[in-house]
């Protein structure tokens, strides 16, 4: 079946503009995550959605970052008033939650460049 | 504070050699330790994972060694091949609180020379 998809694959924007990044998780996966991967760095957790529960927003770096998940499926990560330090690859992952150790399946990422 | 520390940052190995990547953690509540492999332009993909009730897990040329008392775990790639060249991330999670939240290491870029 289809994996996690993300759009756009690349986004170039000017400093101060808002951007929206989209994630389509694997069908049936109830958990969805956003990570940020800066050049040559590890994976920085941003936010986690699980079913109808309140999201875990503990990783969002500032109030310019927000995310929503509509209908328990598609998620949008919004960055307002982008700054150059926001330039990174934004990765989305999804997983089942079956009470066991659940693999996270990653999308290919959106490469964001803020000029 | 980084929950999982990974080393080395980069590694060069000759074809046929053994690649070893190490990770260390502090939180003894962690109980699931996956390794992810990431090729350029792709998202990370699960390679192999271990729980702390075993000291070693092997899948083909890939082996995880786990030392619970030292709070360390490592990935060994035997007979390394150029196709193994990728970035490897270790991770840890704790099941009893939020077992789907992974704490990732900073990554190791592996280059296997032909």
């Amino acid at each position: 079946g289809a994996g996690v998809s993300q759009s756009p694959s690349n986004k170039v924007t000017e400093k101060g503009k808002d951007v929206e990044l989209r994630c389509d998780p694997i069908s049936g996966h109830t958990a969805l995550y956003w990570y940020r991967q800066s050049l040559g760095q590890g994976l920085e957790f941003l936010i986690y959605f699980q079913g109808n529960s309140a999201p875990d927003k503990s990783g969002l770096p500032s109030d310019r970052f927000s995310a929503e998940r509509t209908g328990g499926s598609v998620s949008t990560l919004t960055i307002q008033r982008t700054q150059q330090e926001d330039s990174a690859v934004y990765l989305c992952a999804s997983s089942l939650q079956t009470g066991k150790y659940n693999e996270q399946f990653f999308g290919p990422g959106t490469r964001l460049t803020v000029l | 504070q980084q929950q999982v520390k990974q080393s080395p940052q980069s590694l060069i190995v000759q074809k046929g050699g053994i690649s070893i990547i190490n990770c260390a953690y502090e939180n003894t509540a962690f109980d699931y330790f996956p390794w992810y492999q990431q090729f350029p332009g792709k998202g990370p993909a699960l390679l192999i994972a271990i729980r702390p009730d075993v000291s070693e897990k092997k899948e083909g040329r890939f082996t995880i060694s786990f030392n619970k008392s030292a709070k360390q775990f490592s990935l060994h790639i035997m007979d390394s091949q150029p196709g193994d060249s990728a970035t490897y991330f270790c991770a840890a999670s704790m099941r009893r609180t939020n077992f789907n939240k992974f704490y990732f290491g900073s990554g190791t870029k592996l280059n296997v020379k032909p």
Side-chain angles (χ1 to χ4, degrees), chain B residues 6 75 106:
Chain B
Q6 182 171 347
L75 176 69
S106 55

Side-chain angles (χ1 to χ4, degrees), chain A residues 1-6 24-29 94-95 105-108:
Chain A
V4 177
S5 61
Q6 293 185 245
D24 281 272
I26 293 173
S27 178
H29 280 192
S94 70
S95 72
F105 294 83
F106 283 83

Side-chain angles (χ1 to χ4, degrees), chain B residues 4 6 24 26-27 44 48-49 55 57 63 71 76 80 92 95 99 105 107 114:
Chain B
V4 179
Q6 182 171 347
E26 287 298 322
N27 193 335
I48 187 173
S55 60
K57 183 173 182 180
T63 299
K71 292 184 285 187
H76 295 236
S80 299
R95 183 167 184 256
F99 58 84

